[in-house]
Amino acid sequence: MFVKIVLVDINPKMIAAWKETFEEHPEVEIVHGSMLEQKTSAWVSPTNSAGRMDGGLDLVIKNHLGPAVETRLRQEIHSKHNGVLPVGFATCVDTGKKVPGHLISTPTMITSSEDVSDTMNVALACAAAFQAVNMQNMQTPGSIRSVALPGLGANTGRVPAEICADLMWSGFSLFRRRTFDDFATMRKALEEELGDLGPVTGKTQVPKITIASTASGGNGHFVPGSIGPGLKDSDVDFDDDDDDESNDDFDDDDDSDN
């Protein structure tokens, strides 16, 4: 099944970085504008690990969709992740609306206002968002035919736009080629390409990122390693635009947006 991808942000630097990094993938739509204007099946939001939607893009989305979406999200995180959604995991909830039908939460950090500019957290968060799309479509085929993502970690996480674009490209590239049964398998595959991603919980600290001057896809992408053996081709294609589509209060003090 084909899933259309829209990259959307109000930051012109993010738009310029995406256009350079994804220039060989014109099927990926890049929009300088608001997430609220995207007529896609799902929106991706870099909520904090507790799922509190009280700042940044999260708050904008909650105000638009209504407070019930935050309640559903926090209940999902509480029941499936003991109240804390680790970096490299994502959760997908029904919005109760026609557009978007689903909201995908994918944290780029655990604690509030972390500087994740020297980590691979953006690649993990982006890959996790696509994994959530894949898992939702496995559960309910065709429920997500298009998805809109913002610049992950480029605001609170202080990730430079160029680095953010490159790491999001790594997550996108992974899911153009493969599909996974769960987040653990996805993480292992990403780690085979990018190197050690650190612990599953907490800050995914890695050596300082550098951008290669050349890459297999060109445009100075952060270069993943060679593809590991025994990995299957994906039967979920994230690079085609043929399909378009027009309660509980949990204890947690992480209330920042990422």
Side-chain angles (χ1 to χ4, degrees), residues 36-56:
L36 305 185
E37 298 172 352
Q38 307 315 305
K39 307 300 183 183
T40 54
S41 306
W43 293 348
V44 172
S45 185
T47 52
N48 57 64
S49 62
R52 285 186 173 138
M53 303 178 67
D54 51 6

Side-chain angles (χ1 to χ4, degrees), residues 138-181:
M138 286 193 292
Q139 178 179 328
T140 308
S143 55
I144 297 182
R145 296 179 177 273
S146 54
V147 58
L149 301 91
L152 301 173
N155 187 14
T156 303
R158 299 193 282 281
V159 179
E162 295 81 3
I163 300 291
C164 177
D166 290 338
L167 292 176
M168 289 185 69
W169 180 86
S170 294
F172 162 77
S173 178
L174 184 70
F175 276 87
R176 288 181 62 243
R177 294 177 279 112
R178 302 173 236 181
T179 187
F180 309 98
D181 293 330

Side-chain angles (χ1 to χ4, degrees), residues 130-142:
F130 288 136
Q131 176 65 15
V133 171
N134 188 28
M135 292 172 70
Q136 174 63 31
N137 280 336
M138 286 193 292
Q139 178 179 328
T140 308

Side-chain angles (χ1 to χ4, degrees), residues 26-136:
E27 71 279 1
V28 175
E29 185 177 354
I30 297 173
V31 177
H32 185 196
S34 170
M35 177 69 77
L36 305 185
E37 298 172 352
Q38 307 315 305
K39 307 300 183 183
T40 54
S41 306
W43 293 348
V44 172
S45 185
T47 52
N48 57 64
S49 62
R52 285 186 173 138
M53 303 178 67
D54 51 6
L57 179 59
D58 287 332
L59 182 58
V60 171
I61 290 174
K62 182 175 74 170
N63 287 342
H64 181 76
L65 297 178
V69 71
E70 180 185 41
T71 300
R72 294 189 192 102
L73 176 60
R74 297 194 66 206
Q75 288 177 333
E76 187 81 357
I77 293 172
H78 181 73
S79 64
K80 293 186 177 180
H81 301 279
N82 296 317
V84 178
L85 186 62
V87 175
F89 287 72
T91 191
C92 179
V93 297
D94 187 351
T95 66
K97 307 289 185 180
K98 185 175 180 180
V99 178
H102 298 87
L103 180 69
I104 296 170
S105 169
T106 184
T108 58
M109 61 186 71
I110 296 297
T111 62
S112 61
S113 301
E114 284 186 45
D115 182 345
V116 297
S117 60
D118 62 348
T119 76
M120 295 293 186
N121 288 16
V122 169
L124 273 167
C126 186
F130 288 136
Q131 176 65 15
V133 171
N134 188 28
M135 292 172 70
Q136 174 63 31

